[in-house]
Structure formats: C-alpha cells, structure tokens
Amino acid sequence: MENLEAGLREAARLFNEARYHAAHEVLDELWEEAPPGDADLLKGLIQACIALHHYQQGNLEGARRLYSGHRRYLGSYLPAHLGVDVAGFMAQMQAALLPLVRARPGDEPPFELAPRPTLEIRPGG
C-alpha cells in the first residue's frame, strides 16, 4: 500500500504540472500490480490522463472518446478511494472536457482555455 500511495503522489505531481503522458506512465505501472479492488480506479485515472494529453496535443476526437471511459471507471469509487477525492476530480474533469465534448466540429474550445483539473492525494487515504 505504501508503494501505491507514493506512486499516486508522483502521478498527481506530474498531472498537476500538466505532464499528462508522464502521469499516465506512472499510473500504468501501478495498475499492472494493483489489487483487484483498486485496478479500475487506476484505469480511470489513466484514461483521464490520456484524455487530457490528447486534448493538449490537439487530438480532439481522442479526448472525446476517453471522456466517458474515465467516468465509467471512476464512478464506482465515489466519493473517495485511496486518498483520491474521486467526486471532486470527476467534477473538475467534467468542467475541463464537457465543453469540448459538446462542441460542434470547428467550434471546440482550445486546450489553453479549458480549466485545469488537479489530482490531489490525501495521505493515508
């Protein structure tokens, strides 16, 4: 559990620096060794990272596709799990990505104008 918590803190640091692909890599390593009860939380966080990475890189369709996936995985961990405020994180992700998901082609808001979600890990969660 200690290694998982340290890994989540590192992933959160990278995520909060908008280094979404790097955060995904850390989470992917954690996911490979995660106990079954935690694996889908990590999978949801991975998909959130990749959704924002796609958006940041201009792959709007990729970001749209991963929007519902991350919500599906994280939803079963509401309101919090492993120190992650899942409800708060999902709300921030929705604020960042829903305008993109709902936009007509050609009218998508640029990544730079989207609110930046943060991933906070409470110690001992």
Side-chain angles (χ1 to χ4, degrees):
M1 182 64 162
E2 187 175 307
N3 192 30
L4 180 57
E5 188 175 320
L8 280 170
R9 281 196 307 272
E10 175 63 9
R13 182 185 69 77
L14 294 165
F15 185 94
N16 295 340
E17 292 174 357
R19 296 174 57 197
Y20 304 116
H21 191 269
H24 152 265
E25 294 292 330
V26 171
L27 290 165
D28 197 46
E29 287 181 28
L30 295 174
W31 174 72
E32 288 177 8
E33 299 180 16
D38 299 332
D40 280 352
L41 173 82
L42 297 169
K43 199 169 196 177
L45 294 174
I46 289 166
Q47 287 197 358
C49 289
I50 296 303
L52 290 172
H53 174 72
H54 283 317
Y55 193 9
Q56 186 179 47
Q57 299 299 310
N59 178 358
L60 305 181
E61 190 53 38
R64 285 183 179 113
R65 276 195 313 266
L66 289 167
Y67 174 74
S68 61
H70 90 275
R71 295 183 64 76
R72 184 174 50 252
Y73 284 110
L74 293 177
S76 61
Y77 294 97
L78 290 167
H81 187 72
L82 295 177
V84 177
D85 174 9
V86 176
F89 181 73
M90 288 179 69
Q92 290 182 54
M93 287 293 294
Q94 184 173 4
L97 290 173
L98 200 55
L100 171 66
V101 170
R102 292 184 172 166
R104 291 181 172 172
D107 289 336
E108 296 93 349
F111 175 79
E112 295 75 27
L113 297 181
R116 295 276 170 80
T118 58
L119 180 57
E120 303 299 327
I121 311 298
R122 289 186 310 247

